[in-house]
Amino acid sequence: MTSTRPRSVPRDLYAAAAAVLLVTAAVLVGRYVYTYDDLIVGWPPLLGRWDPHLGPGTPAALVVAAAVVAYGPAVAARLPWRALLPAAYAAALAWIWSLALVDGWERGVAGRLTTSQEYLSVVDRWHDIPATLRDFTGHILLHSPDNWPAHVAGHPPAATLTYVLLDRIGLGGGGWAGAFTITVGASAGVAVLVTVRALASERLARWAAPFLVLAPAAVWLGTSADGCFAAVAAWAVALLALAVTGRSPWWAAGSGLLFGLTCYLSYGLTLFAVIAAAVLLLGRDGVRGRPVLLVPLLAGAAVVPVAFTTAGFDWWEAYHLLVTRYYEGAGGIRPYGYWVWANLACTVLITGLATAAGLRRAGGVLAVRWRSGGGRAPGGRAGGERAGEVRLAFLVAAGLLALLAADLSGMSKAETERIWLPFALWLLPACAFLTRPRGWLTAQAVLALLLNHLLATGW
C-alpha cells in the first residue's frame, strides 16, 4: 500500500461500525416508529420478509464464498489481465447463481420476473410493437385504462421491450428471462474493472476485483432487471473510459449508444451523466488531443432516443406521467423523512461494510490531494500509483454523488436495494484502498449469505 492511503485500521473499523449503526437505526425505527402501512415494506429498510431458510444453492454459495476469500486476492494479483476479466465474470456468475438458487429454481429465478408487477406479465400486450410504443404513455397513470403494472409504468419502454424481444426469438418465460438477466448483470463488475484500469491503474483494478465479485449486491442482481440496467450503464462508462484513454473512436460511439439505451431503460439512470462527466474530466487530456471523440459519442447517444421518438414514444411526457403515478401509489405514502436516510442503510446492505471502510479511505485520499493544493479534478495517467489512487477516489466520489442525488430527489423511497444497483457498483472499487482484504471479503460474504438465508427478498 502506498503512502497516500490512510493506514489506520481502527478507523476503518469505526467506519464499518457507523454503517452498522445506520442499518440498526433504520431497522429499529422502521419496525417500532412506523407501521407497514407507512413504509409498505415487510422488513424495513428492505422490501422482504423474515424467512430463515436453506436451499439447493446454499452449498455452492458457501464454496464460492470460501474460494474467493481464500484465493481471490492472490489470483487477482497474479493472473494475466486478459484472463482475469473472464475469471472475474465466471466467479460473479457462480456467486449470483448460487445465491439465487438458495431460494430454489422457481422462487429464486424462474418466478422472479413473472409476478403481476413485473415485465413478463405484459409481454402478450405487445403484439404490435410500434402501436404499443405510441400508446405507452396512455397506460402509465393508475386511473388510465389497462394501466401498466408498477415496474412497466415505472420505466421507459426499452426495459419491457427487452423481454418482449427475448420472447420473440423463442426464449420466452421466466426461466429464460431470469437466466438472461443474470448473464448480463454479472458482467457489470467486469465493466467497472475495465474502467478502473483505464482511468486509474491495473494494480488498483486487481485489488478491487474480488470485492466486485463477492459483493452483497449479488443477492439482488439475481434476478432483478435492475441488474441488466446496471450492466448496460457500466459498459457505457467503460467504453467511454477506453475512448478517452487512447482507444479507437468507435469505443466512443459504442459508449454513446449504450448511454442512450440506459436512459430508455430507467429514468433515474440519467444521473449516470455525473459519472460520465467524471470520466471525461479524468480523461480530458485525451479529449483535448482528440476532440473528434465527442462526435461519435454524441451521435451514438442520439440513436436510441431518435428511434423511440420516431416510433411515437415521448420520454419527457412519460416521465412527468410517471411522477404523477409515483405519488398516486406507494411513493405518495412512504415518508421522505425516513427514506432519505434509510435508503443509505439499504446501500450499506448491498455494498457491505468493506465499502463503508473503503469510502472512508477514498475520502482520505481526496482530502490529502486537496490539502496539498491539488483542488482541480485529476487528469491524464501520469504520476504513478499515487495519482492513480486519486483518480480512483474521484471516480468513486462521482458514483456516490449520483447516488446521493437520486436519494435527495425523493423518487427513490424504498426498494433502493435493487433500484440503486447501477450506482452502488461504482462504490465497490473503493475497497481497493483496504489493507487485509481477506478479512473484509469475509465480512462481505457473511453479510450476503445472512441476507439471502434469513430474508425472503423481493420487489
Side-chain angles (χ1 to χ4, degrees):
M1 293 293 165
T2 65
S3 61
T4 59
R5 298 180 185 177
R7 294 179 178 274
S8 175
V9 172
R11 290 183 180 179
D12 292 342
L13 297 178
Y14 296 153
V20 170
L21 289 175
L22 176 63
V23 172
T24 302
V27 172
L28 294 178
V29 172
R31 289 182 65 84
Y32 298 108
V33 175
Y34 294 99
T35 67
Y36 175 85
D37 291 336
D38 295 324
L39 303 182
I40 318 180
V41 295
W43 200 86
L46 300 177
L47 183 68
R49 69 179 188 279
W50 182 256
D51 180 26
H53 63 285
L54 300 174
T58 298
L62 292 171
V63 169
V64 173
V68 175
V69 169
Y71 303 108
V75 170
R78 297 171 186 167
L79 207 61
W81 179 256
R82 289 181 180 273
L84 176 60
L85 294 181
Y89 177 60
L93 271 178
W95 181 233
I96 297 170
W97 270 109
S98 61
L99 289 175
L101 290 174
V102 168
D103 295 325
W105 170 254
E106 183 60 34
R107 192 174 84 168
V109 179
R112 289 280 181 159
L113 295 169
T114 61
T115 64
S116 61
Q117 299 301 320
E118 279 287 1
Y119 304 98
L120 295 189
S121 66
V122 301
V123 166
D124 291 341
R125 291 175 58 179
W126 287 69
H127 295 298
D128 185 337
I129 291 176
T132 306
L133 287 174
R134 289 193 298 271
D135 195 38
F136 189 88
T137 56
H139 304 284
I140 292 178
L141 296 178
L142 273 178
H143 63 263
S144 60
D146 297 322
N147 64 81
W148 297 120
H151 287 193
V152 177
H155 296 83
T160 307
L161 188 56
T162 299
Y163 295 101
V164 171
L165 295 177
L166 200 65
D167 181 78
R168 292 289 176 88
I169 64 173
L171 302 180
W176 283 113
F180 171 83
T181 301
I182 291 175
T183 302
V184 174
S187 73
V190 178
V192 176
L193 290 179
V194 169
T195 306
V196 173
R197 180 178 185 258
L199 296 176
S201 74
E202 184 174 313
R203 184 185 179 195
L204 289 169
R206 290 177 179 277
W207 275 89
F211 291 96
L212 282 159
V213 167
L214 213 56
V219 174
W220 290 273
L221 283 169
T223 52
S224 166
D226 293 87
C228 275
F229 309 159
V232 174
W235 281 109
V237 174
L239 296 185
L240 181 60
L242 292 175
V244 301
T245 53
R247 276 46 168 212
S248 166
W250 289 108
W251 291 120
S255 173
L257 182 65
L258 292 181
F259 271 120
L261 177 58
T262 296
C263 294
Y264 279 74
L265 290 171
S266 174
Y267 298 103
L269 295 188
T270 53
L271 288 170
F272 257 76
V274 175
I275 301 176
V279 173
L280 291 174
L281 280 171
L282 291 171
R284 62 183 178 271
D285 290 348
V287 176
R288 287 170 182 164
R290 294 189 301 164
V292 70
L293 286 173
L294 297 178
V295 175
L297 176 66
L298 296 175
V303 171
V304 173
V306 167
F308 275 93
T309 302
T310 302
F313 172 73
D314 187 327
W315 192 96
W316 284 105
E317 178 190 7
Y319 174 71
H320 290 300
L321 290 171
L322 166 65
V323 173
T324 301
R325 164 76 180 254
Y326 182 71
Y327 286 101
E328 285 179 336
I333 299 172
R334 289 169 171 159
Y336 181 87
Y338 172 77
W339 288 111
V340 73
W341 61 272
N343 283 336
L344 302 180
C346 290
T347 304
V348 171
L349 293 173
I350 61 177
T351 60
L353 301 181
T355 303
L359 288 174
R360 185 199 74 81
R361 290 197 176 221
V365 168
L366 291 177
V368 169
R369 160 89 177 189
W370 187 269
R371 287 197 298 269
S372 66
R376 56 197 293 269
R381 292 199 59 181
E385 192 65 22
R386 178 175 179 177
E389 291 180 358
V390 176
R391 290 192 293 270
L392 175 57
F394 186 80
L395 181 65
V396 169
L400 181 60
L401 179 61
L403 184 146
L404 292 175
D407 188 30
L408 294 174
S409 74
M411 288 295 291
S412 297
K413 291 184 287 189
E415 303 180 57
T416 52
E417 62 270 19
R418 64 166 180 84
I419 296 171
W420 286 359
L421 284 173
F423 304 117
L425 291 176
W426 293 94
L427 306 185
L428 292 167
C431 297
F433 294 116
L434 297 173
T435 57
R436 304 181 183 180
R438 286 188 177 87
W440 289 110
L441 283 168
T442 300
Q444 299 289 85
V446 168
L447 175 58
L449 290 167
L450 287 175
L451 287 169
N452 213 62
H453 285 84
L454 295 179
L455 301 175
T457 57
W459 43 82

